[in-house]
Amino acid sequence: MAEISEAPSTLDPDFDQENMRKSKPGLKRLTLSLAVLFSFLLGLPFLLKSIEIYRSPLPFREIDDLSTAFESSPILFPCHFRAVFVNFDPNSYTADQLSISVQAHMAKFAAKNSLACGTCASNVTVSVTLDSNSNCISNGNNVDWKCGALNEFKFAEKHEDGLLDEYLASLCDNNSGAKVYTVVVVKTEQEEVRAVVGKYRHAWIMGRIFEEEAIEKIAEIFVNVFVNGGKEEGLIHGEFMPLGADGRIVLSFNLLNADPHNWIYDWDFQEIDENLLSPVIDALKPLADVSVESQVLYHTPKSSFSFWDDRLDSYIFSTKDLPFFVNSNEWHLDTSVAAGGLSKILQFVVYVPSAKECPLQLQLPNGEISTTNGFISPMWGGIVVWNPSACLMDSKIKHPLRYKISSEDSRKLFEVFMGQLRQLFGLKSDGLFVGASGTSILLASERGFSEWELDVLSRQHSCFNLLQCGTTLGSLSRLVQSLPRMIIMDDIGKQVKYSLEAARLTLSNASLGIYDASAESSRQARLLAEDAFYHPSMMSVSYYSFEHCFAVYSPFFLPVLLHVLLAVLREWKRYKQESKKYYAWKAKVK
Amino acid sequence: MGIWGSIFLLFLILISTYESFAKEGSAEELNEEFTEGLLLRPLPDRKVLAHFHFQSSVPPTRTYGRHHHLFPKSIYQLINKFRVREMELSFTQGRWNYERWGGYDPISSSNAKPPGVELWAIFDVPLDQVDASWKNLTHALSGLFCASINFLEHSTSYSAPQWSFRSFAGKLRYGTLPREAVCTENLTPWLKLLPCRDKAGISALMDRPSIYRGYYHSQRLHFTSDEYDTAKSNSGIMLEQTLTVVLQPNTLGARAMVSGKTLQPSWSLSSLFGRKVHGKCSVSKSSNVYVQFEQNLLSELKEVWKESEESERGILTHNNLWTNPIFEMSASPHRIVKEVGNSQQEDSSILYEFSVEDFNDSEPFDLGLKWKLPVAWSCQQAPLRASRFLMGSGNERGAIAISLKSSGNNNTQRVGCSENGSQLRIDIFQVVPWYVKVYYHTLKVFIDGELQSTMENIEKMHISSSEDKVSPGVMEMILRLPCGVKTAALTLEFDKGFLHIDEYPPDANQGFDIPSAVVSFTDFQASIGFEDNFLNKLPILNELQERKHVICYTEVLLVPLTTPDFSMPYNVITITCTVFALYFGSLLNALRRRVGEEERLLKSKAAKKRGPLTSILSKLFAKLTGRPIKPPETPSASPSSINYKVIVKVILVAGMAVGWQYYFR
């Protein structure tokens, strides 16, 4: 018994009642208090387990690796080029020499515009074929240029670019597997040197041209046209390509009648859709899933002012007014059930001005009148002001007349829209490429986009998709790590996993040079990443927060733990004190 | 052979020309159309009913294509995405006063709607996809109309009526939100669907403060589509938008009195709406304004006319009905349309048609109606007046009662019973949320105050009882009442359920709404037939002419449910934990207590030293009493005295309690 001993029956003079005891102090109460304390400590993990929230494990390290990898080095694709020299002297240069000097020039051009996303890696292959009447020399392994084939083509018809384009396409189309960009240089007796970029993956240069000049031109066409898409500074950056995360675009065409009291214009959009738009949609199919819708709206005035200019005999709005042109209060363009989720809408607006502002012209900063009378707003769409022919008549009609935009006019309008769409995608719309070594003509495809342009777009698209995917996953992982009480469902974990897998697949596809597949898988990666980030359960931070938990459990645990701890402390102190007494007595007895 | 050949050729030519003619003829019809109209009607209680009607129609996609010039794109996409065959959405504020504003005309049957939002839709999808389509549709509409229609997504808030509401069993879904507040944010997207919005035409009258100041406001959107019908004769999509408002004309100063009776207030478009019509919407096919005089008003007018004819001279024919001694209209009507086919009464309602086409900004159209003689009339009533109320008190149980009262005029006996033997058929459709647990076996039917055996009067009944947190209870019923019935009542008892703490809305103390019940009199058709056949092309007249059952909606009921103290769970946790902690602490202390030792310590302490204060006190006490100082002893009072004290205390407390009770009763 760990008690202070009973009053001593025999008065021992040596026995100090205060400081000694004869019996060993007991352990019963100490063990009891310790047992209670330890059982509490053992129960603690179970309690913590019971108030735990579910967090699906996310591969944080892989995400970080991926996003840092994307940021440090842009995704580059391997590219194959081929230069064909026709009618050149085979003795002056060998094919290998030509190939090396073309590559050197290409490196020079590529250095000028730093390695942008979606361009070609440094491992470009340039094969050169020298095709002259007598012999045909080529370096590289997979060159299947049909030598002497061009001689069959009659160059007499000089301006038949389209015919030559088709002919070259039939020549180059033999190797359908890898995408090879070809430049054919034909030495003729003409003074003027013409450089034309075709609708497919080839270009040709004709005229009296020497090797050095030709090499520089070839290198420029390779780098600046075929790889970079003929872009200039100031055009829309590839990052802002108007493509939804799910690869869908809705092209919404709107005909706005500013004031139907004056006149009402209508269009036959069915015809435009069938005849003019469907080839473009087909052409864009590998890149995006395009859907088209249209509407006609009435009573939609613009919200900027225009003024009358006597010299130009029309109402003028200048480029300064463009930010205020779109009247978002009155132009209700944007309700579309088709554009649900992450897809992108591009609005194309035909604005028919009212009688009191007709004809309405756009004045460029240099004082000239815009020929297209339209403008684009990046990521939003394009606007064309179409002045009706009736506006000059200035007749006071009581009842508005209904007109139909003639098919000629609608074709013109559509051409402007096509140019605007190309600009929105970051491509050139004027059909000319002005380089350091001269101007090249870009042949316009009747499908709106030529094949090499689509290649450029799909390369850029997959690259920026991957970048976007990396940043999205990076912010997801940062968010998740910064909020420890956030519930993460299994769905999110799965989406992140699949997104990472798709990103890896894209990288492997890109290194193999399969553009379409890499665009597809990059889109998948980005879509999954964004789905994970915007998952409805994402921000469901547990309502049962730590403060809440503390408030619920503290009324029980605070007083109880106080009791237990105090009991343990007291018993421990007492045990030490009593055992000291006992040892003092023992020492005395001895 | 040659003759036969030429005949055959002729035949071919004939056929081809015929076909081309047919094509031209059909091409004429195949076009989008938009029409607008406004119907104004003076109401007996000095108010004016204004009913805006807009209709857009589009030929089927198969022949016309999917690009439209007038039809709203968003509605077309909605129909195509969710494959909706028919849908009606209404936003209503205020309650239609069936007694004063009529219950037997086409406008009250199709445009008197329950307060808040009502949505029903029929889908053209397989049966198992209907619910999914409904959910998506509610979300789309919610975004389109800036309303919380998405709350109709939960299976507790919508139902699938079998036969009483419409006859598309299985593919019809019906839901209401009685507490939805309706305001301009719902009207603006609704106006966006009109080609001219409120910029031109009749819709320019919709001045927001004026139309929301009214007593009743109901905006409705209804469309039918047969895009997915396999039948060949498709008519395309028909979108009908109506806005029904009941306004009080501004009568400046005191009410005008003529010979002791109050004159009806005179009004004009500008005094009602604060705006005028500046011509029609340029793309609309027709835009007319109608003023309707009901048959009761007309017969009343004739009475007054006869009286005044004696005093005033002049023979008044029907032709100049718009300027007469009783009332005067500011413009001469374009045309007068009379109702036909109402053989029971000799008087039939009359419509004055005004076309706004010839008006423009310089001379806007402002129709006015000025009363010169007092007229009093009453509207045509539905055969029975339906109302619904709650019975019982307390938070535990109650009863719902639907009462049907004869509206007093005689058309019950005449119409209902001549057509259908001696019975009056009434369809009732009622949806009750799951937390109001209705016991359908307690259904009682009272006719003229007497309890009837239930099955005698119920011809058909379909009940799907509610399931907790899954589906609401639906009751559909066909009631047969004898002909000369004065009153009829249905009662149903219910228990109030308990909701989970999460399921209470933010304003839980306000109570919960039971949506309106729909009472329809299927024997009665509310329609106005018109004499001119060529007028049938005007949609607003078509709407009036369409034969529809007389329908009325009952009141929304407000059921108070037990509202918990929302801080209660935490209080319970705290108190329980405190009790547990106390118990645990005392148990632990008891376990490690050393009783013997403590006693000994106490004794030794007491023996050794007493506090200086107590010793001084005891000394003082000893001095005062003259007794020697006693060592403190254990207080051992006699047990009898303890008992006595305890008893006194108990009696005191009991007396106080009794006094308290008595005093505060």
Coordinates of all heavy atoms in Angstrom, one line a residue, chain B residues 405-438:
Chain B
K405 N -67.2 25.3 -55.1 CA -68.4 25.9 -54.8 C -69.1 26.3 -56.2 O -68.4 26.8 -57.1 CB -68.2 27.2 -54.0 CG -68.2 26.9 -52.5 CD -68.1 28.2 -51.8 CE -67.6 27.9 -50.4 NZ -66.9 29.0 -49.8
S406 N -70.4 26.2 -56.2 CA -71.1 26.6 -57.4 C -70.9 28.1 -57.5 O -71.1 28.8 -56.5 CB -72.5 26.2 -57.3 OG -73.2 26.8 -58.4
S407 N -70.6 28.6 -58.7 CA -70.3 30.0 -58.8 C -71.6 30.9 -58.9 O -71.5 32.0 -59.1 CB -69.4 30.3 -60.0 OG -69.9 29.5 -61.0
G408 N -72.7 30.2 -58.8 CA -74.0 31.0 -58.7 C -74.7 31.2 -60.0 O -75.9 31.0 -60.0
N409 N -74.0 31.4 -61.1 CA -74.8 31.6 -62.3 C -75.2 30.2 -62.8 O -74.8 29.2 -62.4 CB -74.0 32.4 -63.3 CG -72.8 31.7 -63.8 OD1 -72.5 30.6 -63.3 ND2 -72.0 32.4 -64.6
N410 N -76.0 30.2 -63.8 CA -76.8 29.0 -64.1 C -76.1 28.1 -65.1 O -76.7 27.1 -65.5 CB -78.2 29.3 -64.6 CG -78.9 30.0 -63.5 OD1 -78.7 29.8 -62.3 ND2 -79.8 30.9 -63.8
N411 N -75.0 28.4 -65.6 CA -74.5 27.6 -66.7 C -74.1 26.2 -66.3 O -73.9 25.4 -67.1 CB -73.4 28.4 -67.4 CG -72.2 28.6 -66.6 OD1 -72.1 28.1 -65.5 ND2 -71.3 29.5 -67.0
T412 N -74.0 26.0 -65.0 CA -73.7 24.7 -64.5 C -74.8 23.7 -65.0 O -74.6 22.7 -65.6 CB -73.6 24.6 -63.0 OG1 -72.8 25.7 -62.6 CG2 -73.0 23.3 -62.5
Q413 N -76.0 24.2 -64.6 CA -77.1 23.3 -64.9 C -77.3 23.2 -66.4 O -77.6 22.1 -67.0 CB -78.4 23.9 -64.3 CG -78.6 23.5 -62.9 CD -77.7 24.4 -61.9 OE1 -77.1 25.3 -62.4 NE2 -77.7 24.0 -60.7
R414 N -77.1 24.3 -67.1 CA -77.4 24.3 -68.5 C -76.4 23.5 -69.3 O -76.7 22.5 -70.0 CB -77.4 25.7 -69.0 CG -78.8 26.4 -68.8 CD -78.9 27.5 -69.8 NE -79.6 28.6 -69.2 CZ -79.5 29.8 -69.6 NH1 -78.7 30.1 -70.6 NH2 -80.2 30.8 -69.1
V415 N -75.1 23.9 -69.2 CA -74.2 23.3 -70.1 C -73.7 21.9 -69.6 O -73.9 21.0 -70.4 CB -72.9 24.3 -70.2 CG1 -72.0 23.7 -71.2 CG2 -73.4 25.7 -70.5
G416 N -73.3 21.9 -68.4 CA -72.6 20.6 -68.0 C -73.6 19.5 -68.0 O -73.2 18.4 -68.4
C417 N -74.8 19.7 -67.7 CA -75.7 18.6 -67.5 C -76.4 18.2 -68.8 O -76.7 17.1 -69.0 CB -76.6 18.9 -66.4 SG -75.7 19.1 -64.9
S418 N -76.6 19.2 -69.7 CA -77.2 18.8 -70.9 C -76.3 17.9 -71.8 O -76.8 17.1 -72.5 CB -77.6 20.1 -71.7 OG -76.4 20.7 -72.1
E419 N -75.0 18.2 -71.7 CA -74.1 17.4 -72.5 C -73.9 16.0 -72.0 O -73.7 15.1 -72.7 CB -72.8 18.2 -72.6 CG -72.7 19.2 -73.7 CD -71.4 19.9 -73.7 OE1 -70.5 19.4 -73.1 OE2 -71.3 20.9 -74.4
N420 N -73.9 15.9 -70.7 CA -73.3 14.7 -70.2 C -74.2 14.1 -69.1 O -73.8 13.8 -68.0 CB -71.9 15.0 -69.6 CG -71.0 13.8 -69.9 OD1 -71.4 12.7 -69.9 ND2 -69.8 14.2 -70.2
G421 N -75.4 13.9 -69.5 CA -76.3 13.2 -68.5 C -76.6 14.1 -67.3 O -76.8 15.3 -67.4
S422 N -76.4 13.5 -66.2 CA -76.7 14.3 -65.0 C -75.5 14.4 -64.1 O -75.5 14.6 -62.9 CB -77.8 13.6 -64.2 OG -77.4 12.3 -63.9
Q423 N -74.3 14.3 -64.8 CA -73.1 14.3 -64.0 C -72.2 15.3 -64.5 O -72.2 15.7 -65.7 CB -72.4 12.9 -64.1 CG -73.2 11.7 -63.7 CD -72.8 11.3 -62.3 OE1 -71.8 10.8 -62.1 NE2 -73.7 11.4 -61.3
L424 N -71.4 15.9 -63.6 CA -70.5 16.9 -63.9 C -69.1 16.3 -63.6 O -68.8 15.9 -62.6 CB -70.7 18.1 -63.0 CG -69.8 19.3 -63.1 CD1 -70.0 19.9 -64.5 CD2 -70.2 20.3 -62.0
R425 N -68.3 16.3 -64.7 CA -67.0 15.7 -64.5 C -65.9 16.7 -64.2 O -65.8 17.8 -64.8 CB -66.6 15.0 -65.9 CG -65.2 14.4 -65.8 CD -64.8 13.8 -67.1 NE -63.4 13.7 -67.1 CZ -62.7 13.0 -68.0 NH1 -63.3 12.4 -69.0 NH2 -61.4 13.0 -68.0
I426 N -65.1 16.4 -63.2 CA -64.0 17.3 -62.7 C -62.8 16.5 -62.6 O -62.7 15.5 -61.9 CB -64.4 18.0 -61.4 CG1 -65.6 18.9 -61.5 CG2 -63.2 18.7 -60.8 CD1 -66.3 19.2 -60.3
D427 N -61.7 17.0 -63.2 CA -60.4 16.3 -63.1 C -59.5 17.1 -62.1 O -59.5 18.4 -62.2 CB -59.7 16.3 -64.4 CG -60.3 15.4 -65.4 OD1 -61.5 15.0 -65.1 OD2 -59.7 15.0 -66.4
I428 N -58.9 16.4 -61.2 CA -58.1 17.1 -60.2 C -56.7 16.5 -60.3 O -56.6 15.3 -60.3 CB -58.6 17.0 -58.8 CG1 -60.0 17.6 -58.7 CG2 -57.7 17.6 -57.8 CD1 -60.7 17.4 -57.4
F429 N -55.7 17.3 -60.3 CA -54.3 16.9 -60.4 C -53.6 17.6 -59.3 O -53.6 18.9 -59.3 CB -53.7 17.1 -61.7 CG -52.2 17.0 -61.8 CD1 -51.6 15.8 -61.5 CD2 -51.4 18.0 -62.2 CE1 -50.3 15.6 -61.6 CE2 -50.1 17.9 -62.2 CZ -49.5 16.7 -61.9
Q430 N -53.0 16.9 -58.4 CA -52.4 17.6 -57.2 C -51.0 16.9 -56.9 O -50.9 15.7 -56.9 CB -53.3 17.5 -56.0 CG -52.6 18.0 -54.8 CD -53.6 18.2 -53.6 OE1 -54.2 19.2 -53.5 NE2 -53.8 17.1 -52.9
V431 N -50.0 17.7 -56.8 CA -48.7 17.2 -56.4 C -48.3 17.7 -55.0 O -48.5 18.9 -54.7 CB -47.6 17.7 -57.4 CG1 -46.2 17.1 -57.0 CG2 -47.9 17.3 -58.8
V432 N -47.9 16.8 -54.2 CA -47.6 17.2 -52.8 C -46.2 16.7 -52.5 O -45.8 15.6 -52.8 CB -48.6 16.5 -51.8 CG1 -48.2 16.8 -50.4 CG2 -50.0 16.9 -52.1
P433 N -45.4 17.6 -52.0 CA -44.0 17.2 -51.7 C -43.9 16.1 -50.6 O -44.8 15.9 -49.9 CB -43.3 18.5 -51.2 CG -44.4 19.5 -51.1 CD -45.6 19.0 -51.7
W434 N -42.8 15.4 -50.6 CA -42.7 14.2 -49.8 C -42.8 14.5 -48.3 O -43.2 13.6 -47.6 CB -41.5 13.4 -50.1 CG -40.2 14.1 -49.7 CD1 -39.4 14.9 -50.5 CD2 -39.5 14.1 -48.5 NE1 -38.3 15.3 -49.9 CE2 -38.4 14.9 -48.6 CE3 -39.8 13.5 -47.2 CZ2 -37.5 15.1 -47.5 CZ3 -39.0 13.7 -46.2 CH2 -37.8 14.5 -46.3
Y435 N -42.4 15.7 -47.9 CA -42.4 15.9 -46.4 C -43.8 16.2 -45.9 O -44.0 16.3 -44.7 CB -41.4 17.0 -46.0 CG -41.4 18.2 -47.0 CD1 -42.3 19.2 -46.9 CD2 -40.4 18.3 -47.9 CE1 -42.3 20.2 -47.8 CE2 -40.3 19.3 -48.8 CZ -41.3 20.3 -48.7 OH -41.2 21.3 -49.6
V436 N -44.8 16.3 -46.8 CA -46.2 16.3 -46.4 C -46.7 14.9 -46.7 O -47.0 14.6 -47.8 CB -46.9 17.4 -47.1 CG1 -48.4 17.4 -46.7 CG2 -46.4 18.8 -46.7
K437 N -46.8 14.1 -45.7 CA -47.1 12.7 -45.9 C -48.6 12.5 -45.9 O -49.3 12.4 -44.9 CB -46.5 11.8 -44.9 CG -45.0 11.8 -45.1 CD -44.2 11.2 -44.0 CE -42.8 11.3 -44.3 NZ -41.9 11.1 -43.1
V438 N -49.2 12.5 -47.1 CA -50.7 12.4 -47.2 C -51.1 11.0 -47.1 O -50.5 10.1 -47.7 CB -51.1 13.0 -48.6 CG1 -52.6 12.9 -48.8 CG2 -50.6 14.4 -48.7

